[in-house]
């Protein structure tokens, strides 16, 4: 069995919502991340021909170090292959089928000790979502897809009137109260919104941020250090106080009582803490965090204060 | 110079040829039926050697199993722990287990025969039929506290495991994974539900369902399973075939000593419709007399007993609705249209009546765009359609392969829990299908229920549930109709009725060898008729 826990990102949404476009966006902007992408079938994923280095049956090796494998029909066999491939990769991305429930796919990552769920990204087509959600055949499936999202991308917003977009955004916010909602065109989002990258690489990524693109203007980032936590309970209280709207916060926390270190991952309100064996070089003494959220959703001072309120 | 002619004499030959329903002799040459009649039937062809080995037996056309899976053979590498009596490919009868204690006894005796590093894996377990407390992790720990044990349930969507297996998956009190059962104290019960939660365990126990459909280890026991119940043509409905895999299959199937003809349907779920159509069209000419390729299987919804079938109003009776689409209805339309236009036969799994409706919409549109009178598209399971849906199938020439065994195995559950008494009446409504002009087959879906056309006939004729309730006898088939459904009817759904399914000149000399004529026994005894094996291509694979 594998020895490394691979972070998993599940990409869901109905047919035509832009799942494949997002996967291609992630592959094109991988920036040194080695991704293993499990897709329903290659026919649906027009992966840039220039990126493809080699093909071997059900897997495609890309020139940037990423790998695509086909989910095929047998989910168990596909997961087994993907886990094997992902042992040398930074993350596993699973593009679910248009009628799959991303939460059920995420269950594989929650159950399997060699995998860890990073986040569930669901796309909604701004033009057709309302119509499909009301469809007697697939409406219930669509509503369950949306409800499972950590990050909900309202895609193709350039193709609808602002008023229609805003009305749909309000509906989606009700349907997925926990999710971070972001309007996108061509599913273009910064990769640090999608990937936690695991604690080890957290800071490497912030130092090599993707050059600000058009979509970058929509997001606020924050980094902070010097937070002190008396004990584990104090850390939990601090994280529970985080203001709504912080999509992702990650970092290393230092506990004063036993001088222990913990990795912290928060995605759309889901908190993950794990003891960390060796304190990272970057975080010399005090805790260190980075966070990202859609522009204007969170006041930096409020975030900083939430983490400091328990400081001793 | 003639090839050798063998004339098999039998107590009776039931031919299924309506113009010559019975005979006493059948002459075989070059693997085909040369003549049917009395001892002199082949005199004009130069006669032949009379073979009297079946003189006390009844010969029927070899049965056709239109919906089974190759895993029905290889699953027997695990220990059978089910409620119903079953026969293993090696002929061993495994009695049904009526309570938890009996299940534990069987596991314990299997455990004693294992090497120290082997896992103990059971299959076919079905707690809904058992009396007494539910099988738990603690029970299995008494079989072994150290050796990982996993007992797969009959639906393959659940497994009960011991502590050693829980530890392999790192499941414990702290686990909050959907499907990992907990007792009121928060400790795992050992029951693991759903593919996701089962995955870490199955993976570590080396259970690989796809591998269990490949190679001789799968093909040989599958053929034995078929042979022992009189089946000479059997299907594998859902195979992730490639051209290479097809060549490997054929290398085994074409051997003269391989005792069954295979019909293998390509899964439509691995590539876009156009690629699937290309592959199916490329596979078709690689067929042989023993291996039929070129058809495609599409799975539309889940199953009624897992609450995942797509039902029309009024939905599920007393259980939650977990309906799923295995293929989006929109995609189904595209796939059906593409495959039909390319002349590819489709075997379409629909359980719920909503899935059936969506499949019929897709087929109706595809056939309106490209009429193919000989299409042979077939709905599989098709559990509770109403008469109007059957009539629509009749009009479109769509066949039905109905799950007769389901009436017996799950009929009670569907009456009381999933469907309620009204719609449960429609389960396997064979008579309505025939009245609507629908070509009919009945099937086992082995290993879901045991392969056995005589058992399927018994189910379709008597419609007795496991508790002994007669479920809507108005839908019962006559024995003759049921016999047709497991021979020519099933052959028609595979497009093979010109080669198999009856004993007539020119057809493959494929026979089932029985002790009794099914038409001559009490219908309640149909399932108890002893099967002595088969003849395939004129060669006897019957027990001595
Ligand atoms: Zn099946």
């Amino acid at each position: 069995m594998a020895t490394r826990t691979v972070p998993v990102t599940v990409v869901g949404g109905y047919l035509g919502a832009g799942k494949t476009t997002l996967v291609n966006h992630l592959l094109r902007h991988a920036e040194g991340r080695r991704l293993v992408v499990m897709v329903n079938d290659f026919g649906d994923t027009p992966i840039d021909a220039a990126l493809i280095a080699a093909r071997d049956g059900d897997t495609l090796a890309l020139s940037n170090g990423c790998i695509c494998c086909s989910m095929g029909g047998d989910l168990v066999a596909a997961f087994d292959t993907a886990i094997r491939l992902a042992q040398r990769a930074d993350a596993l991305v699973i593009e679910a089928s248009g009628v799959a429930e991303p939460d059920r796919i995420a269950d594989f990552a929650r159950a399997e000790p060699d995998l860890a769920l990073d986040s569930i990204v669901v796309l909604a087509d701004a033009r057709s979502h309302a119509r499909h959600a009301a469809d007697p055949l697939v409406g219930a499936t669509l509503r369950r897809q949306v409800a499972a999202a950590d990050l909900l991308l309202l895609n193709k917003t350039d193709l609808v009137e602002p008023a229609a977009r805003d009305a749909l955004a309000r509906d989606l916010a009700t349907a997925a109260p926990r999710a971070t909602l972001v309007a996108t065109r061509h599913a273009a989002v910064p990769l640090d919104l999608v990937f936690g990258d695991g604690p080890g690489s957290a800071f490497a990524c912030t130092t090599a941020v993707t050059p600000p693109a058009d979509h970058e203007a929509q997001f606020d980032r924050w980094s902070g250090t010097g937070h002190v936590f008396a004990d584990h309970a104090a850390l939990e209280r601090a994280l529970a106080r985080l203001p709504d709207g912080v999509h992702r916060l990650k970092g290393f926390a230092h506990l004063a009582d036993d001088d222990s270190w913990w990795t912290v991952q928060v995605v759309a309100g889901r908190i993950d803490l794990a003891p960390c064996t060796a304190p990272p070089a970057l975080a010399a003494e005090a805790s260190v965090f980075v966070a990202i959220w859609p522009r204007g959703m969170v006041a930096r001072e409020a975030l900083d204060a939430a983490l400091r309120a328990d400081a001793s | 110079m003639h090839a050798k002619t063998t004339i098999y004499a039998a107590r009776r030959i039931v031919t299924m040829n309506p113009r010559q329903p019975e005979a006493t002799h059948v002459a075989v040459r070059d693997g085909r039926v040369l003549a049917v009649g009395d001892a002199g039937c082949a005199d004009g062809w130069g006669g032949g050697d009379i073979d009297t080995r079946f003189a006390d037996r009844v010969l029927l056309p070899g049965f056709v199993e239109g919906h089974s899976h190759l895993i029905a053979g290889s699953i027997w590498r695990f220990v059978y722990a089910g409620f119903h009596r079953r026969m293993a490919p090696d002929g061993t009868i495994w009695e049904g287990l009526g309570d938890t204690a009996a299940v534990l006894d069987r596991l314990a005796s299997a455990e004693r025969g294992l090497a120290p590093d082997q896992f103990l894996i059971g299959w076919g377990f079905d707690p809904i039929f058992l009396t007494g407390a539910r099988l738990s992790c603690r029970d299995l720990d008494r079989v072994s506290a150290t050796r990982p044990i996993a007992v797969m349930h009959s639906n393959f969507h659940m497994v009960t495991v011991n502590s050693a297996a829980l530890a392999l998956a790192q499941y414990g009190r702290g686990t909050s994974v959907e499907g990992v059962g907990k007792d009121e104290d928060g400790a795992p019960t050992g029951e693991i539900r759903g593919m996701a939660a089962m995955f870490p365990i199955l993976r570590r126990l080396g259970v690989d369902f796809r591998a269990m459909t490949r190679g001789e280890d799968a093909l040989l026991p599958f053929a034995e399973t078929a042979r022992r119940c009189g089946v000479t043509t059997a299907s594998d409905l859902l195979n992730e075939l490639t051209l290479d895999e097809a060549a490997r299959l054929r290398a085994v199937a074409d051997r003269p000593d391989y005792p069954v003809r295979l019909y293998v349907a390509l899964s439509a779920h691995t590539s876009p419709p156009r690629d699937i159509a290309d592959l199916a069209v490329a596979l078709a000419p690689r067929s042989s007399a023993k291996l039929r390729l070129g058809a495609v299987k599409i799975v539309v919804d889940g199953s009624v007993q897992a609450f995942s079938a797509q039902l029309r109003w009024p939905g599920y009776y007393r259980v939650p609705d977990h309906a799923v689409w295995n293929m989006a209805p929109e995609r189904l339309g595209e796939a059906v249209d593409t495959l039909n236009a390319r002349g590819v036969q489709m075997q379409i799994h629909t359980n719920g009546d909503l899935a059936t409706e969506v499949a019929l919409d897709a087929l109706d549109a595809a056939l309106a765009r490209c009429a193919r009178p000989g299409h042979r598209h077939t709905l599989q399971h098709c559990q509770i359609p109403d008469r109007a849906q059957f009539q629509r199938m009749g009009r479109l020439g769509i066949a039905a392969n109905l799950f007769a065994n389901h009436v017996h195995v799950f009929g009670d559950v569907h009456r009381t829990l999933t469907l309620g008494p009204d719609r449960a009446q429609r389960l396997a409504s064979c008579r309505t299908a025939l009245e609507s002009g629908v070509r009919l087959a009945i099937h086992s879906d082995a290993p879901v229920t045991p392969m056995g056309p005589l058992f399927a006939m018994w189910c379709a004729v008597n419609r007795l549930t496991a508790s002994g309730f007669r479920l809507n006898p108005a839908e019962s088939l006559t024995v003759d109709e049921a016999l047709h459904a497991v021979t020519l009817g099933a052959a028609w759904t595979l497009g093979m009725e010109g080669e198999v399914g009856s004993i007539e000149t020119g057809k493959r000399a494929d026979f089932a060898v029985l002790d009794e004529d099914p038409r001559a026994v009490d219908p309640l005894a149909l399932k108890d008729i002893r099967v002595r094996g088969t003849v395939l291509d004129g060669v006897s694979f019957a027990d001595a």
Side-chain angles (χ1 to χ4, degrees), chain B residues 183-221:
Chain B
D183 63 20
E184 52 278 14
D185 300 329
T189 58
E191 279 196 345
I192 315 289
R193 183 191 300 273
M195 239 25 237
M198 283 161 60
F199 174 71
I201 291 178
L202 296 184
R203 181 169 172 242
R204 284 165 180 78
L205 297 184
V207 178
D208 179 345
F209 292 120
R210 182 147 62 175
M212 286 169 71
T213 67
R214 303 262 152 109
E216 283 193 14
D217 288 350
L219 291 168
L220 298 182

Side-chain angles (χ1 to χ4, degrees), chain B residues 294-309:
Chain B
V296 163
K297 169 82 178 283
I298 301 175
V299 180
V300 179
D301 65 343
S303 73
V304 180
Q305 66 271 30
F307 323 153
S308 55

Side-chain angles (χ1 to χ4, degrees), chain A residues 140-153:
Chain A
T141 302
L142 248 79
R143 292 191 293 274
R144 286 194 291 260
Q145 288 176 344
V146 164
D150 294 313
L151 176 61
L152 188 54
L153 304 183

Side-chain angles (χ1 to χ4, degrees), chain A residues 265-288:
Chain A
Q265 290 259 22
V266 181
V267 182
R270 274 197 294 114
I271 299 169
D272 252 321
L273 297 176
C276 158
T277 46
L282 253 173
E285 304 249 300
S287 309
V288 42

Side-chain angles (χ1 to χ4, degrees), chain B residues 54-73:
Chain B
F54 303 131
D56 295 331
R57 311 281 183 231
V58 175
L59 296 183
L60 272 80
F63 295 129
V64 180
E65 173 52 89
H67 187 152
S68 55
H69 298 276
L70 281 176
I71 202 171

Side-chain angles (χ1 to χ4, degrees), chain A residues 238-255:
Chain A
L239 294 174
R241 271 195 310 266
L242 287 177
D244 285 350
V246 174
H247 177 62
R248 210 177 249 294
L249 176 135
K250 62 190 177 184
F252 298 94
H254 180 253
L255 303 187

